[in-house]
Amino acid sequence: MPKFFWLEVEDEEEEAPDNTEPVEEENEPEISLHAITGLQSTKTMQLCALVNEQPLLSLVDSGSTHNFISFNAAQKLQLPVQPRPAASVSVANGEKLRSYGISKAVLFSIEGHPFEAEFLIIPLVGFDMVLGITWMQALGPILWDFTALTMSFEMAGQKYTFQGNKTEIPSHLRVLQQQQPSAMNLKNLLEDYDEVFQEPKGLPPLRRCDHKISLKDSSDVVVVSPYRYPHLQKDEIEKQCK
């Protein structure tokens, strides 16, 4: 037999029109993987910036949306720090990086030309500052020459040309190059320590103090999930294990 149901529905009140304008959320700052790892090469534009008469190695990076300064440099220069709503910065590989705040109206100079910009304070390795798109946008059209490592632009009718720093040879290689060939000959060095460079055959010989892991009696092997680590470390771990 057919069944009937009685449903009571409350009338929805009409919502008053919202005349407030929507507030745009600030895009989350992004920094390139090259800038965060601090890898220096001869193809990157590196400039020496002066902040409070202190030289800072700066990377000009079009892959970073904002300007960044290292936490250590900001502390050393005693820059005023203000909190910001978003406390993280996105890295190009998808990771999140902690931001310690923002330092506004930072005065700095490059090759004697003054500039003013705001910087997000984050932990950096290899560079003291990263000059991103927000700084480059203020310069207008830029002419790049990565062979000569120069950047040219025009501001207020005045032309500027900055010369990038040449990446220095690591100190241990520089010492070897400065030695006389007769005193530091690679061939003689390899011959003198030939046993060190031979491929290992079997286990290493017994030593006076061998490494060992003592286990309790009747204890099982610990089986747990590996710790979470960034993708960059994952590649390096797999490389070393291989």
Side-chain angles (χ1 to χ4, degrees):
M1 294 191 51
K3 297 182 179 179
F4 297 94
F5 298 91
W6 179 269
L7 301 178
E8 293 185 358
V9 182
E10 296 182 358
D11 294 334
E12 295 182 359
E13 297 181 359
E14 294 185 359
E15 296 183 358
D18 187 5
N19 296 326
T20 58
E21 297 181 359
V23 179
E24 285 189 7
E25 294 184 358
E26 183 184 1
N27 294 329
E28 188 174 37
E30 297 180 4
I31 188 170
S32 70
L33 195 61
H34 185 89
I36 199 63
T37 54
L39 298 176
Q40 302 181 15
S41 71
T42 56
K43 297 182 180 179
T44 55
M45 191 69 183
Q46 304 172 33
L47 301 173
C48 181
L50 291 179
V51 182
N52 296 340
E53 302 301 325
Q54 296 292 327
L56 299 180
L57 181 60
S58 306
L59 173 69
V60 182
D61 183 28
S62 60
S64 301
T65 58
H66 291 63
N67 305 319
F68 301 94
I69 188 169
S70 72
F71 175 75
N72 293 336
Q75 269 196 329
K76 182 178 179 180
L77 297 169
Q78 297 182 350
L79 297 179
V81 182
Q82 300 180 14
R84 49 184 298 267
S88 63
V89 174
S90 295
V91 187
N93 63 351
E95 298 179 24
K96 299 292 184 181
L97 194 66
R98 179 186 175 187
S99 172
Y100 295 92
I102 185 171
S103 187
K104 298 186 176 181
V106 177
L107 299 176
F108 64 99
S109 64
I110 300 176
E111 297 185 9
H113 304 295
F115 296 95
E116 181 180 328
E118 63 180 31
F119 290 85
L120 296 176
I121 301 173
I122 62 174
L124 284 176
V125 178
F127 300 105
D128 300 311
M129 290 169 50
V130 176
L131 299 173
I133 294 178
T134 54
W135 179 71
M136 287 184 278
Q137 284 177 335
L139 306 181
I142 303 175
L143 178 62
W144 300 91
D145 186 345
F146 285 99
T147 303
L149 279 184
T150 60
M151 57 179 294
S152 303
F153 56 94
E154 185 174 337
M155 288 184 63
Q158 184 177 357
K159 293 185 178 180
Y160 299 85
T161 299
F162 290 159
Q163 175 67 58
N165 298 336
K166 300 291 185 180
T167 303
E168 294 185 359
I169 301 174
S171 57
H172 58 282
L173 295 180
R174 186 165 57 248
V175 170
L176 288 175
Q177 291 179 354
Q178 291 174 353
Q179 300 292 334
Q180 296 295 331
S182 59
M184 184 63 70
N185 187 285
L186 181 59
K187 182 179 179 180
N188 294 337
L189 184 66
L190 294 176
E191 290 178 353
D192 292 340
Y193 298 93
D194 180 67
E195 68 279 0
V196 177
F197 300 101
Q198 295 297 323
E199 291 188 5
K201 297 178 181 178
L203 296 175
L206 295 177
R207 308 293 184 183
R208 186 177 62 178
C209 181
D210 286 332
H211 172 71
K212 63 179 180 180
I213 300 177
S214 301
L215 299 178
K216 293 182 178 179
D217 295 336
S218 69
S219 60
D220 296 329
V221 179
V222 178
V223 180
V224 295
S225 301
Y227 293 107
R228 298 185 63 182
Y229 44 81
H231 184 73
L232 187 66
Q233 295 181 8
K234 172 181 175 294
D235 293 342
E236 182 62 25
I237 291 174
E238 292 180 349
K239 176 183 174 183
Q240 294 190 19
C241 288
K242 186 177 179 181

